[in-house]
Amino acid sequence: MKGLLTKDFLHIKTAYLVFFPYLLFMTVMCAASTFAKGNVPFVAIPFIAIFQSLLPLTMIMDDARTGFDKTALTLPFSRKDYIMEKYLLTLINALASSMLFLIFTAGAALMGSNSITDSLSASLLIFSFSMVLTIADMPFMTKAKTAAGTRKVYAISLVLYGASAGHFMAFKSLKDSIKNVHIPLHTSTVVFAVILAASIISYLISAAFYEKKDI
Amino acid sequence: MTNAIEIKGLVKEYKDFKLDNVDLTLPGGCILGLIGENGAGKSTLIKCLLGIIHKNSGSISILGRDADTELADIKEDIGVVLDEVGIPDSFRYKHINAVMKNTFRNWDEKMFDDYMEKFKLPKNKKFKEFSRGMKMKMGIAIALSHKAKLLVLDEATNGLDPVIRDEVTDLFYEFTRSEDHSILISSHIVSDLEKLCDYVSFIHKGQVLLNEEKDVLLEEYAIAHCSEEELKELDPTAIRGKKASKYGVQALVRRDAVPAGMNLSPVTIEELFIFMIKEID
């Protein structure tokens, strides 16, 4: 498992490092907005989480493209290890991005003498949104029979995610309605709990599919 | 000594291809060459062995352990090179080393470094910039750097130039000097296997035609040069294949079943394979 995690972190570092300046930029912008306006911009959450959510799926897609999925099965790992590692990567990634967001926006809130409850709520949502694509897509990606199949699942989910975000941005009335959206901490906590439960179910389904798959 | 690999009744069925009831044994300390034309089922067999694809039935034991239940653990002791070496494109030497160090209990950085030097592989180049030959050499370096007891090599010498192929062959030979080290190697380049293997196994259309010690085969069979009439006088069971030309007939025959004085020449593994395949087809 450690070897697989090392591989994915190094793969992200060497090929997808561009995701992190984006995350940092968005987080800093949210912190600045929190400081200036006194409230956390919840509307930015899906845009912060999307790339974090895509990373583990990108790893699966790249593994299929480069043949590392086969290599992994020549190394001392089981199929369950391989799938578990992708969920673990998602979890670590989600945790890191939500912690980063919490530190920046809570700091900004405290500097403006505001409560950090909204920062906590938003961070829980970032965690949840960062897990959502993996939870939804991983079973389909593990079931896909070919590298082209995993690419198709990836593309479809990217289009759906982009379309739903674009939908809100495209129509002024919708845009205005979500602009000042505020999600209370208890709602975020429920979403967080649901996402955690869903990720366990998603893992079990993905592991079962992968167990049966001919690579 | 325990057999390095024991396969019994292995079946893998696809819509248009079947690996049919394969039995294969690789004795410990030996090199077994899996010989077959493209599409014969060599890679399918190796993928079943490694659990990359699922078998329909049969049993596999590797290094004396049941592959169905202990495969992940067994792989600590197996070095594998498949026909395509799957490493992320952006990786360089240091990244591959870091991954393998965290993967294998017995990973030997020094040994890996030595192989990099030996194969003249650039340490600062990305994997995607490697030629096919360099990729195969990297795969071989990884397979040899974690003190494996068994090497499984699927077309591992493909893409290597003759000089390097010869060096790699020597490395494999060196590897089996230790008596608990074994190699299963598949290739359609029979000449590579001929000088390396102790045992050969012919696979054709998903079936293992024979699995025998190389020297026994070379001793048992010969090429008879004769006329059609002379051939007809022989015991039909002694003939395993024939090839006619305007100068006469060449036939693969069992030495012990032909009369003394017949014009026989030694057979190579390549000829043995070609005659047998043609006879079946």
Side-chain angles (χ1 to χ4, degrees):
Chain A
M1 186 82 82
K2 201 174 155 196
L4 290 172
L5 270 175
T6 308
K7 176 255 155 197
D8 274 345
F9 282 124
L10 286 173
H11 193 179
I12 291 168
K13 186 183 158 194
T14 53
Y16 297 100
L17 202 58
V18 66
F19 281 25
F20 290 97
Y22 172 82
L23 171 71
L24 199 62
F25 172 75
M26 290 297 284
T27 306
V28 169
M29 292 302 284
C30 288
S33 170
T34 305
F35 179 69
K37 295 181 181 171
N39 51 24
V40 176
F42 280 86
V43 68
I45 289 170
F47 300 99
I48 292 176
I50 182 162
F51 286 121
Q52 305 314 308
S53 193
L54 281 174
L55 271 177
L57 301 177
T58 310
M59 293 300 109
I60 288 250
M61 194 178 65
D62 270 7
D63 285 355
R65 182 180 56 80
T66 60
F68 185 81
D69 54 351
K70 284 190 193 73
T71 301
L73 291 179
T74 68
L75 304 175
F77 303 116
S78 67
R79 286 165 182 258
K80 278 198 180 79
D81 289 339
Y82 180 79
I83 295 299
M84 173 69 91
E85 184 271 333
K86 296 297 178 219
Y87 280 85
L88 206 56
L89 176 73
T90 311
L91 207 67
I92 293 169
N93 215 15
L95 197 64
S97 48
S98 56
M99 287 306 288
L100 186 74
F101 187 87
L102 179 65
I103 290 167
F104 271 81
T105 55
L110 289 174
M111 281 193 326
S113 306
N114 292 309
S115 158
I116 62 163
T117 315
D118 279 358
S119 296
L120 265 172
S121 174
S123 299
L124 283 177
L125 285 175
I126 285 184
F127 183 94
S128 307
F129 269 81
S130 298
M131 302 274 297
V132 102
L133 271 186
T134 301
I135 291 168
D137 282 6
M138 198 69 110
F140 294 104
M141 289 194 101
T142 49
K143 192 151 174 58
K145 285 184 178 150
T146 58
T150 59
R151 278 200 300 274
K152 222 176 270 175
V153 175
Y154 185 87
I156 290 169
S157 54
L158 198 60
V159 168
L160 288 177
Y161 197 102
S164 49
H167 182 73
F168 280 100
M169 293 296 110
F171 300 100
K172 197 177 177 313
S173 56
L174 283 171
K175 196 175 169 181
D176 290 341
S177 72
I178 62 159
K179 209 168 170 180
N180 297 314
V181 74
H182 172 263
I183 295 161
L185 185 58
H186 60 84
T187 308
S188 301
T189 312
V190 171
V191 172
F192 174 74
V194 168
I195 286 290
L196 279 186
S199 60
I200 294 168
I201 295 166
S202 171
Y203 162 71
L204 292 173
I205 296 170
S206 301
F209 281 155
Y210 205 66
E211 201 65 47
K212 288 180 188 158
K213 186 174 169 178
D214 279 351
I215 310 296
Chain B
M1 188 185 283
T2 343
N3 286 326
I5 297 173
E6 248 182 73
I7 298 174
K8 284 182 187 156
L10 178 68
V11 176
K12 172 69 186 174
E13 209 165 350
Y14 292 107
K15 272 181 196 162
D16 51 352
F17 176 78
K18 187 179 181 187
L19 202 58
D20 198 6
N21 205 24
V22 168
D23 292 332
L24 198 77
T25 303
L26 166 58
C30 296
I31 305 177
L32 169 68
L34 200 55
I35 298 169
E37 74 273 37
N38 290 328
K42 304 184 297 293
S43 294
T44 306
L45 176 62
I46 285 176
K47 283 177 184 165
C48 279
L49 179 79
L50 298 168
I52 295 171
I53 55 175
H54 296 284
K55 59 186 173 12
N56 294 101
S57 60
S59 69
I60 299 173
S61 118
I62 304 172
L63 299 169
R65 298 156 79 184
D66 181 13
D68 282 344
T69 53
E70 298 180 70
L71 191 57
D73 207 33
I74 296 170
K75 284 173 186 169
E76 277 283 356
D77 293 324
I78 311 180
V80 180
V81 185
L82 298 177
D83 52 351
E84 296 284 343
V85 181
I87 302 276
D89 295 338
S90 54
F91 274 22
R92 298 170 204 268
Y93 156 79
K94 61 178 180 181
H95 303 124
I96 297 170
N97 184 46
V99 172
M100 295 306 161
K101 201 164 87 176
N102 286 316
T103 296
F104 288 106
R105 280 195 291 263
N106 293 327
W107 181 252
D108 189 331
E109 280 184 76
K110 170 81 174 55
M111 200 185 269
F112 185 49
D113 197 57
D114 289 347
Y115 281 122
M116 293 294 291
E117 297 288 326
K118 195 177 183 80
F119 292 148
K120 296 183 180 70
L121 289 171
K123 287 186 176 175
N124 285 320
K125 230 177 185 180
K126 288 181 180 174
F127 192 70
K128 69 174 171 191
E129 291 159 1
F130 278 23
S131 66
R132 181 178 160 79
M134 287 158 96
K135 286 181 179 175
M136 294 313 287
K137 283 191 269 184
M138 178 59 93
I140 292 166
I142 295 169
L144 288 168
S145 299
H146 62 96
K147 301 186 176 80
K149 290 179 183 153
L150 168 67
L151 289 184
V152 177
L153 311 163
D154 186 13
E155 305 278 2
T157 50
N158 280 11
L160 300 181
D161 62 64
V163 178
I164 293 294
R165 232 166 57 204
D166 196 58
E167 275 178 32
V168 166
T169 306
D170 286 345
L171 271 178
F172 294 155
Y173 204 73
E174 194 71 24
F175 175 82
T176 50
R177 285 269 176 94
S178 170
E179 61 177 22
D180 63 339
H181 284 181
S182 317
I183 301 179
L184 171 67
I185 178 167
S186 88
S187 181
H188 61 274
I189 307 170
V190 185
S191 55
D192 276 1
L193 302 186
E194 188 147 10
K195 54 184 171 186
L196 188 68
C197 297
D198 306 305
Y199 285 79
V200 287
S201 189
F202 289 169
I203 185 162
H204 179 60
K205 292 183 179 168
Q207 289 187 315
V208 171
L209 301 182
L210 66 81
N211 184 23
E212 187 58 88
E213 208 171 328
K214 181 182 76 181
D215 292 340
V216 171
L217 281 175
L218 297 181
E219 215 167 276
E220 194 176 349
Y221 291 97
I223 302 282
H225 305 268
C226 56
S227 64
E228 277 284 0
E229 289 70 31
E230 281 174 307
L231 198 66
K232 274 178 192 160
E233 284 168 20
L234 290 182
D235 173 6
T237 60
I239 306 166
R240 295 294 301 262
K242 64 171 187 173
K243 200 163 66 180
S245 72
K246 59 182 177 182
Y247 304 110
V249 176
Q250 283 190 338
L252 177 69
V253 293
R254 272 202 352 258
R255 278 180 192 270
D256 61 358
V258 295
M262 193 166 203
N263 182 13
L264 296 179
S265 65
V267 69
T268 63
I269 293 294
E270 187 157 8
E271 285 168 330
L272 200 62
F273 177 64
I274 292 168
F275 271 105
M276 283 188 174
I277 298 296
K278 281 193 173 163
E279 184 69 4
I280 288 169
D281 289 342

